[in-house]
Amino acid sequence: MTTERPLRRPKRAHAAAGGRILAAGLSASAALALVGAMAGPTPATPTGAPAAPTVVRRTSGSPASATAEPAPAVTPTAAPPVTTSQAS
Amino acid sequence: MTVTHPAARSLSQARRRAMGSDAHVLVVTDDDHIDPDGLLAAGWARIGDLESRWSRFRPDSEVSALNRHGGAPLIVSVDTFRLVQHGIAAWELTGGRFDPTVGAAVVAHGYDRDLPELLRRTAPVGDVEPAPGLAGTWLDPGLNVVTLPSGVSFDPGGIGKGLAADLVAAALLDAGAAGALVNLGGDLRAAGQPPDACGWTISLPDPLHPEGELARFALPGGAVATTSRLRRRWRTTVGEAHHLIDPATGRPADTDTVAVTVIAAHAWRAEALTKALFIAGPDELARRPDIHAIVVTADGRRHTTPALQATLR
């Protein structure tokens, strides 16, 4: 469930690849353009996600509480369904 | 198809295959200047865009690029950065029971191609190890740079569909829909105004008797996700396998649980919790009153949280 893998802690941004930053399927010039395009909008982050560069740590192995985002209250109904939640 | 409702809201919908699953998009409009067919087309386009970025079966997807470059920083799109962020959040939320790094174990069991092709053969099983987990993943949200640990691959799995449902539902509201519901293979998200005052009526098929119904409820908004070991299963050289891998063993989870449905605020969260409950088994439900869930076990028993008991049929 949790890993015993030692944590990697790059000392500086991008140091892990010798200063190279790769862009998915792009040339170097396109990658630079992408950096400019991506640096503007701030991505929507899940609750509690850090906004600064970070290295992910091991999990505690215990599930966290799900009460931070309460589930919607549903009610039984006899109305015809609009859709089904088929299993994935 | 458009259905006129008394409250001057119109419901439009369309179904097609997407992300390897049956998909269903519904939009509610209450403004004559908004073209519902245009909204639906925009929704499908957004789903297609996310699939092209996130599919592990497409060598040109960003997820495939990430997995080829383990150990090296990679600039990804905002959407793919979000996907990795949410994968990490789900991994942490579930104490590692939902683990996007089970991809190698899934592939080791032969699931290295899409399901229709997989079902045509008996898959060889390779070396199986516990999932490595996401510890050591490095994220820079300023530049959308992701560095996966060397040797670790990221498999969006169900959370890709869940997060896609969240993002597409939000995009449809931004485009002018009064309400939207996006259902990607059972990971569904409803946002905005439902088609009528009761909410969105959702049906859960009985996993053991698919012609029957397990539960039916009105959802005011939020998300529902369902996972089952009866859907994606295939033959291997060591017996039958299913896609719900226990990260601790790297093998298909050995549990009496057949299917799990979770209701939550967001589809990515609901999806992660279904996987965690499936791995943990029905006893976990008693320890997690904060989760709204229905668990069906192989003996046909239904285990629910009190909030959902009344919805069972």
Side-chain angles (χ1 to χ4, degrees):
Chain A
M1 181 178 312
T2 57
T3 177
E4 295 304 317
R5 172 186 292 276
L7 298 179
R8 287 191 321 105
R9 296 187 179 86
K11 292 180 181 176
R12 296 182 55 195
H14 317 145
R20 284 189 309 135
I21 305 177
L22 307 174
L26 296 178
S27 65
S29 58
L32 289 174
L34 185 60
V35 169
M38 294 301 172
T42 301
T45 57
T47 304
T54 184
V55 176
V56 177
R57 308 304 175 105
R58 285 179 297 181
T59 66
S60 65
S62 300
S65 170
T67 54
E69 294 185 47
V74 302
T75 51
T77 179
V82 296
T83 195
T84 59
S85 182
Q86 297 269 358
S88 60
Chain B
M1 182 179 72
T2 300
V3 181
T4 302
H5 283 253
R9 296 177 190 163
S10 292
L11 177 66
S12 303
Q13 56 186 305
R15 299 174 188 266
R16 64 173 65 165
R17 293 285 295 177
M19 294 191 166
S21 302
D22 294 327
H24 190 190
V25 177
L26 305 95
V27 292
V28 175
T29 52
D30 58 5
D31 182 340
D32 290 342
H33 297 95
I34 301 293
D35 173 20
D37 291 335
L39 288 175
L40 291 170
W44 292 119
R46 184 82 171 105
I47 291 168
D49 178 55
L50 294 173
E51 183 175 10
S52 70
R53 295 181 189 280
W54 295 353
S55 173
R56 69 182 175 93
F57 300 116
R58 297 187 182 188
D60 59 344
S61 75
E62 292 184 31
V63 164
S64 293
L66 261 180
N67 292 337
R68 283 194 301 271
H69 291 98
L74 187 72
I75 299 172
V76 296
S77 65
V78 170
D79 287 328
T80 301
F81 195 84
R82 281 178 173 142
L83 175 69
V84 177
Q85 281 185 312
H86 284 77
I88 292 167
W91 181 65
E92 292 173 337
L93 172 70
T94 62
R97 285 180 175 142
F98 174 89
D99 191 331
T101 70
V102 296
V106 175
V107 170
H109 283 86
Y111 195 178
D112 58 355
R113 57 204 71 200
D114 60 17
L115 193 62
E117 189 177 347
L118 183 60
L119 293 177
R120 287 195 287 269
R121 68 173 198 158
T122 299
V125 175
D127 294 336
V128 174
E129 295 181 351
L134 285 164
T137 300
W138 186 78
L139 297 178
D140 184 344
L143 294 174
N144 296 319
V145 173
V146 177
T147 309
L148 292 177
S150 181
V152 171
S153 62
F154 186 93
D155 177 9
I159 201 173
K161 288 197 279 287
L163 181 59
D166 289 329
L167 294 178
V168 175
L172 288 170
L173 296 190
D174 287 345
L181 187 150
V182 179
N183 180 356
L184 297 173
D187 292 343
L188 68 87
R189 172 68 190 274
Q193 299 295 317
D196 57 51
C198 296
W200 303 88
T201 303
I202 310 297
S203 172
L204 300 183
D206 185 334
L208 295 172
H209 307 284
E211 70 285 358
E213 190 175 52
L214 178 64
R216 187 184 300 188
F217 51 81
L219 181 74
V224 182
T226 298
T227 196
S228 167
R229 64 175 161 91
L230 300 181
R231 291 280 294 205
R232 293 176 191 264
R233 51 195 304 125
W234 63 94
R235 295 187 310 273
T236 76
T237 50
V238 296
E240 197 167 56
H242 61 78
H243 73 302
L244 299 170
I245 299 290
D246 184 346
T249 64
R251 301 180 186 282
D254 182 14
T255 169
D256 287 339
T257 301
V258 170
V260 179
T261 294
V262 169
I263 297 168
H266 296 93
W268 72 268
R269 177 181 283 262
E271 168 64 28
L273 292 172
T274 62
K275 296 292 193 301
L277 278 178
F278 188 92
I279 302 295
D283 291 347
E284 180 73 3
L285 210 53
R287 293 189 284 268
R288 299 301 304 268
D290 52 328
I291 298 175
H292 289 194
I294 301 174
V295 176
V296 178
T297 44
D299 58 7
R301 294 176 62 197
R302 302 159 173 190
H303 313 255
T304 73
T305 48
L308 296 180
Q309 187 65 39
T311 71
L312 291 177
R313 297 169 74 89

